[in-house]
Amino acid sequence: DTAVSQTPKYLVTQMGNDKSIKCEQNLGHDTMYWYKQDSKKFLKIMFSYNNKELIINETVPNRFSPKSPDKAHLNLHINSLELGDSAVYFCASSQEGGARRAFFGQGTRLTVV
Amino acid sequence: GESVGLHLPTLSVQEGDNSIINCAYSNSASDYFIWYKQESGKGPQFIIDIRSNMDKRQGQRVTVLLNKTVKHLSLQIAATQPGDSAVYFCAEDSGAGNMLTFGGGTRLMVKP
């Protein structure tokens, strides 16, 4: 069974659209994350979330919002997509306080045209 | 601002040789320093970490060295294998906000 799974794996959409990426973890972890990896492979944290608090990287536009229906899921909603949003988005999870040993999903390649 | 960076974007080694991947960091307050491996088409995978009060930690075929004097982190891979080919990232955990700060990545290519 995949520990951290994301859907879809690939997403191509037009500018201005709203889209969501789903993430599920079956590891029983308390904390989930979203990372963005750009074309130069640079990885940047977007959000950290557990049932107590949402921590947002201040550089993330408010068009991006995480939604957690339950402890095992953290979905990423993106409104009014822009060309610059094209990237690979990774979901990850860890035990609370264990960000350094996070388990990552396989990524969702988002292409905005 | 604080950052974590790497000296070499690409490293090519012969199968069986040892590999050394380097990283410079600037945030002296980080609690942990971590190495991740990312294979093509996959997400990053935790390899090894080291607490800031240590200078060396060994795993299976990997060793991480931390030199706080010059703010330098390295990952040594012994007897490099084709399966080690990947992009390697250093990262730091400041302990605040449960977030990691990643460096820019080094691509390791293993020649048969």
mmCIF file of all heavy atoms in Angstrom, chain A residues 53-78:
data_model
loop_
_atom_site.group_PDB
_atom_site.id
_atom_site.type_symbol
_atom_site.label_atom_id
_atom_site.label_comp_id
_atom_site.label_asym_id
_atom_site.label_seq_id
_atom_site.Cartn_x
_atom_site.Cartn_y
_atom_site.Cartn_z
ATOM 1 N N GLU A 53 -3.079 23.308 14.298
ATOM 2 C CA GLU A 53 -2.793 24.569 13.634
ATOM 3 C C GLU A 53 -2.353 24.388 12.199
ATOM 4 O O GLU A 53 -1.819 23.359 11.811
ATOM 5 C CB GLU A 53 -1.704 25.336 14.403
ATOM 6 C CG GLU A 53 -0.370 24.633 14.468
ATOM 7 C CD GLU A 53 0.679 25.452 15.214
ATOM 8 O OE1 GLU A 53 0.509 26.678 15.318
ATOM 9 O OE2 GLU A 53 1.653 24.866 15.688
ATOM 10 N N LEU A 54 -2.615 25.451 11.448
ATOM 11 C CA LEU A 54 -2.148 25.543 10.075
ATOM 12 C C LEU A 54 -1.038 26.576 10.047
ATOM 13 O O LEU A 54 -1.204 27.703 10.509
ATOM 14 C CB LEU A 54 -3.296 25.984 9.153
ATOM 15 C CG LEU A 54 -2.912 26.376 7.724
ATOM 16 C CD1 LEU A 54 -2.402 25.162 6.958
ATOM 17 C CD2 LEU A 54 -4.104 27.001 7.007
ATOM 18 N N ILE A 55 0.104 26.174 9.532
ATOM 19 C CA ILE A 55 1.216 27.105 9.404
ATOM 20 C C ILE A 55 1.441 27.354 7.923
ATOM 21 O O ILE A 55 1.590 26.409 7.147
ATOM 22 C CB ILE A 55 2.491 26.560 10.052
ATOM 23 C CG1 ILE A 55 2.231 26.311 11.535
ATOM 24 C CG2 ILE A 55 3.650 27.540 9.868
ATOM 25 C CD1 ILE A 55 3.351 25.602 12.249
ATOM 26 N N ILE A 56 1.422 28.601 7.558
ATOM 27 C CA ILE A 56 1.501 28.974 6.155
ATOM 28 C C ILE A 56 2.819 29.688 5.891
ATOM 29 O O ILE A 56 3.192 30.624 6.606
ATOM 30 C CB ILE A 56 0.331 29.911 5.777
ATOM 31 C CG1 ILE A 56 -1.009 29.249 6.104
ATOM 32 C CG2 ILE A 56 0.403 30.296 4.307
ATOM 33 C CD1 ILE A 56 -2.196 30.174 5.954
ATOM 34 N N ASN A 57 3.516 29.272 4.843
ATOM 35 C CA ASN A 57 4.673 30.017 4.402
ATOM 36 C C ASN A 57 4.166 31.349 3.848
ATOM 37 O O ASN A 57 3.315 31.382 2.961
ATOM 38 C CB ASN A 57 5.409 29.219 3.321
ATOM 39 C CG ASN A 57 6.693 29.895 2.877
ATOM 40 O OD1 ASN A 57 6.798 31.118 2.826
ATOM 41 N ND2 ASN A 57 7.684 29.095 2.555
ATOM 42 N N GLU A 58 4.699 32.425 4.370
ATOM 43 C CA GLU A 58 4.143 33.748 4.043
ATOM 44 C C GLU A 58 4.292 34.123 2.575
ATOM 45 O O GLU A 58 3.633 35.043 2.106
ATOM 46 C CB GLU A 58 4.786 34.840 4.921
ATOM 47 C CG GLU A 58 6.255 35.112 4.652
ATOM 48 C CD GLU A 58 7.168 34.190 5.424
ATOM 49 O OE1 GLU A 58 6.666 33.241 6.050
ATOM 50 O OE2 GLU A 58 8.389 34.426 5.397
ATOM 51 N N THR A 59 5.137 33.379 1.854
ATOM 52 C CA THR A 59 5.310 33.693 0.437
ATOM 53 C C THR A 59 4.238 33.048 -0.444
ATOM 54 O O THR A 59 4.186 33.321 -1.642
ATOM 55 C CB THR A 59 6.688 33.226 -0.051
ATOM 56 O OG1 THR A 59 6.745 31.796 0.028
ATOM 57 C CG2 THR A 59 7.799 33.819 0.806
ATOM 58 N N VAL A 60 3.422 32.184 0.121
ATOM 59 C CA VAL A 60 2.401 31.498 -0.675
ATOM 60 C C VAL A 60 1.210 32.418 -0.924
ATOM 61 O O VAL A 60 0.644 32.968 0.027
ATOM 62 C CB VAL A 60 1.926 30.211 0.048
ATOM 63 C CG1 VAL A 60 0.783 29.553 -0.724
ATOM 64 C CG2 VAL A 60 3.084 29.242 0.209
ATOM 65 N N PRO A 61 0.813 32.605 -2.186
ATOM 66 C CA PRO A 61 -0.348 33.460 -2.469
ATOM 67 C C PRO A 61 -1.619 32.905 -1.838
ATOM 68 O O PRO A 61 -1.768 31.683 -1.686
ATOM 69 C CB PRO A 61 -0.446 33.412 -4.003
ATOM 70 C CG PRO A 61 0.899 32.986 -4.469
ATOM 71 C CD PRO A 61 1.449 32.095 -3.393
ATOM 72 N N ASN A 62 -2.539 33.777 -1.486
ATOM 73 C CA ASN A 62 -3.759 33.297 -0.835
ATOM 74 C C ASN A 62 -4.704 32.610 -1.810
ATOM 75 O O ASN A 62 -5.791 32.167 -1.418
ATOM 76 C CB ASN A 62 -4.469 34.425 -0.084
ATOM 77 C CG ASN A 62 -4.833 35.584 -0.992
ATOM 78 O OD1 ASN A 62 -4.791 35.460 -2.221
ATOM 79 N ND2 ASN A 62 -5.176 36.705 -0.399
ATOM 80 N N ARG A 63 -4.306 32.484 -3.063
ATOM 81 C CA ARG A 63 -5.064 31.660 -4.021
ATOM 82 C C ARG A 63 -4.912 30.173 -3.688
ATOM 83 O O ARG A 63 -5.681 29.348 -4.180
ATOM 84 C CB ARG A 63 -4.561 31.904 -5.444
ATOM 85 C CG ARG A 63 -4.742 33.336 -5.938
ATOM 86 C CD ARG A 63 -4.258 33.486 -7.371
ATOM 87 N NE ARG A 63 -2.824 33.300 -7.500
ATOM 88 C CZ ARG A 63 -2.260 32.211 -7.982
ATOM 89 N NH1 ARG A 63 -2.989 31.187 -8.393
ATOM 90 N NH2 ARG A 63 -0.944 32.131 -8.080
ATOM 91 N N PHE A 64 -3.907 29.857 -2.896
ATOM 92 C CA PHE A 64 -3.666 28.478 -2.486
ATOM 93 C C PHE A 64 -4.249 28.267 -1.097
ATOM 94 O O PHE A 64 -3.993 29.071 -0.186
ATOM 95 C CB PHE A 64 -2.163 28.183 -2.439
ATOM 96 C CG PHE A 64 -1.499 28.154 -3.777
ATOM 97 C CD1 PHE A 64 -1.177 29.322 -4.437
ATOM 98 C CD2 PHE A 64 -1.182 26.944 -4.382
ATOM 99 C CE1 PHE A 64 -0.563 29.301 -5.685
ATOM 100 C CE2 PHE A 64 -0.558 26.904 -5.624
ATOM 101 C CZ PHE A 64 -0.250 28.082 -6.269
ATOM 102 N N SER A 65 -5.010 27.204 -0.939
ATOM 103 C CA SER A 65 -5.559 26.924 0.387
ATOM 104 C C SER A 65 -5.616 25.423 0.623
ATOM 105 O O SER A 65 -6.079 24.662 -0.227
ATOM 106 C CB SER A 65 -6.961 27.539 0.532
ATOM 107 O OG SER A 65 -7.827 27.033 -0.460
ATOM 108 N N PRO A 66 -5.139 24.982 1.766
ATOM 109 C CA PRO A 66 -5.240 23.568 2.126
ATOM 110 C C PRO A 66 -6.567 23.294 2.823
ATOM 111 O O PRO A 66 -7.070 24.136 3.550
ATOM 112 C CB PRO A 66 -4.076 23.376 3.091
ATOM 113 C CG PRO A 66 -3.912 24.717 3.738
ATOM 114 C CD PRO A 66 -4.411 25.754 2.778
ATOM 115 N N LYS A 67 -7.093 22.102 2.565
ATOM 116 C CA LYS A 67 -8.357 21.706 3.215
ATOM 117 C C LYS A 67 -8.175 20.291 3.743
ATOM 118 O O LYS A 67 -7.770 19.395 3.003
ATOM 119 C CB LYS A 67 -9.517 21.718 2.200
ATOM 120 C CG LYS A 67 -9.819 23.068 1.597
ATOM 121 C CD LYS A 67 -10.662 23.916 2.505
ATOM 122 C CE LYS A 67 -11.301 25.103 1.802
ATOM 123 N NZ LYS A 67 -10.377 26.031 1.172
ATOM 124 N N SER A 68 -8.491 20.129 5.024
ATOM 125 C CA SER A 68 -8.300 18.814 5.641
ATOM 126 C C SER A 68 -9.624 18.271 6.149
ATOM 127 O O SER A 68 -10.077 18.663 7.232
ATOM 128 C CB SER A 68 -7.294 18.921 6.785
ATOM 129 O OG SER A 68 -7.091 17.655 7.392
ATOM 130 N N PRO A 69 -10.267 17.365 5.408
ATOM 131 C CA PRO A 69 -11.531 16.796 5.877
ATOM 132 C C PRO A 69 -11.360 15.888 7.088
ATOM 133 O O PRO A 69 -12.275 15.726 7.885
ATOM 134 C CB PRO A 69 -12.041 16.010 4.665
ATOM 135 C CG PRO A 69 -10.834 15.751 3.836
ATOM 136 C CD PRO A 69 -9.876 16.878 4.091
ATOM 137 N N ASP A 70 -10.173 15.286 7.201
ATOM 138 C CA ASP A 70 -9.867 14.453 8.369
ATOM 139 C C ASP A 70 -8.351 14.322 8.471
ATOM 140 O O ASP A 70 -7.617 14.799 7.613
ATOM 141 C CB ASP A 70 -10.533 13.064 8.271
ATOM 142 C CG ASP A 70 -10.173 12.335 6.997
ATOM 143 O OD1 ASP A 70 -8.966 12.094 6.766
ATOM 144 O OD2 ASP A 70 -11.088 12.021 6.210
ATOM 145 N N LYS A 71 -7.925 13.643 9.491
ATOM 146 C CA LYS A 71 -6.492 13.573 9.806
ATOM 147 C C LYS A 71 -5.660 12.930 8.696
ATOM 148 O O LYS A 71 -4.481 13.193 8.556
ATOM 149 C CB LYS A 71 -6.335 12.791 11.108
ATOM 150 C CG LYS A 71 -4.949 12.712 11.681
ATOM 151 C CD LYS A 71 -4.998 11.937 13.002
ATOM 152 C CE LYS A 71 -3.699 11.266 13.290
ATOM 153 N NZ LYS A 71 -3.728 10.494 14.549
ATOM 154 N N ALA A 72 -6.279 12.081 7.901
ATOM 155 C CA ALA A 72 -5.540 11.346 6.880
ATOM 156 C C ALA A 72 -5.490 12.056 5.532
ATOM 157 O O ALA A 72 -4.855 11.564 4.602
ATOM 158 C CB ALA A 72 -6.160 9.956 6.695
ATOM 159 N N HIS A 73 -6.161 13.170 5.413
ATOM 160 C CA HIS A 73 -6.247 13.858 4.132
ATOM 161 C C HIS A 73 -5.882 15.337 4.259
ATOM 162 O O HIS A 73 -6.282 15.999 5.223
ATOM 163 C CB HIS A 73 -7.660 13.763 3.547
ATOM 164 C CG HIS A 73 -8.100 12.375 3.227
ATOM 165 N ND1 HIS A 73 -8.597 11.505 4.185
ATOM 166 C CD2 HIS A 73 -8.086 11.694 2.045
ATOM 167 C CE1 HIS A 73 -8.893 10.352 3.603
ATOM 168 N NE2 HIS A 73 -8.593 10.434 2.308
ATOM 169 N N LEU A 74 -5.136 15.827 3.265
ATOM 170 C CA LEU A 74 -4.884 17.259 3.159
ATOM 171 C C LEU A 74 -4.880 17.603 1.678
ATOM 172 O O LEU A 74 -3.934 17.279 0.966
ATOM 173 C CB LEU A 74 -3.561 17.671 3.799
ATOM 174 C CG LEU A 74 -3.306 19.176 3.809
ATOM 175 C CD1 LEU A 74 -4.294 19.890 4.734
ATOM 176 C CD2 LEU A 74 -1.868 19.496 4.229
ATOM 177 N N ASN A 75 -5.965 18.212 1.232
ATOM 178 C CA ASN A 75 -6.096 18.568 -0.170
ATOM 179 C C ASN A 75 -5.622 19.998 -0.398
ATOM 180 O O ASN A 75 -5.660 20.833 0.506
ATOM 181 C CB ASN A 75 -7.549 18.407 -0.617
ATOM 182 C CG ASN A 75 -8.070 16.993 -0.362
ATOM 183 O OD1 ASN A 75 -7.324 16.016 -0.497
ATOM 184 N ND2 ASN A 75 -9.332 16.881 0.019
ATOM 185 N N LEU A 76 -5.185 20.262 -1.622
ATOM 186 C CA LEU A 76 -4.693 21.588 -1.971
ATOM 187 C C LEU A 76 -5.609 22.188 -3.030
ATOM 188 O O LEU A 76 -5.770 21.606 -4.113
ATOM 189 C CB LEU A 76 -3.263 21.499 -2.514
ATOM 190 C CG LEU A 76 -2.591 22.822 -2.884
ATOM 191 C CD1 LEU A 76 -2.399 23.697 -1.648
ATOM 192 C CD2 LEU A 76 -1.250 22.561 -3.568
ATOM 193 N N HIS A 77 -6.204 23.312 -2.705
ATOM 194 C CA HIS A 77 -7.067 24.017 -3.648
ATOM 195 C C HIS A 77 -6.323 25.234 -4.180
ATOM 196 O O HIS A 77 -5.691 25.963 -3.414
ATOM 197 C CB HIS A 77 -8.368 24.464 -2.969
ATOM 198 C CG HIS A 77 -9.219 23.329 -2.514
ATOM 199 N ND1 HIS A 77 -10.213 22.765 -3.282
ATOM 200 C CD2 HIS A 77 -9.197 22.619 -1.366
ATOM 201 C CE1 HIS A 77 -10.784 21.768 -2.619
ATOM 202 N NE2 HIS A 77 -10.191 21.662 -1.451
ATOM 203 N N ILE A 78 -6.443 25.409 -5.488
ATOM 204 C CA ILE A 78 -5.782 26.552 -6.109
ATOM 205 C C ILE A 78 -6.813 27.302 -6.946
ATOM 206 O O ILE A 78 -7.434 26.714 -7.844
ATOM 207 C CB ILE A 78 -4.612 26.124 -7.020
ATOM 208 C CG1 ILE A 78 -3.755 25.049 -6.348
ATOM 209 C CG2 ILE A 78 -3.758 27.342 -7.375
ATOM 210 C CD1 ILE A 78 -2.739 24.400 -7.272
#
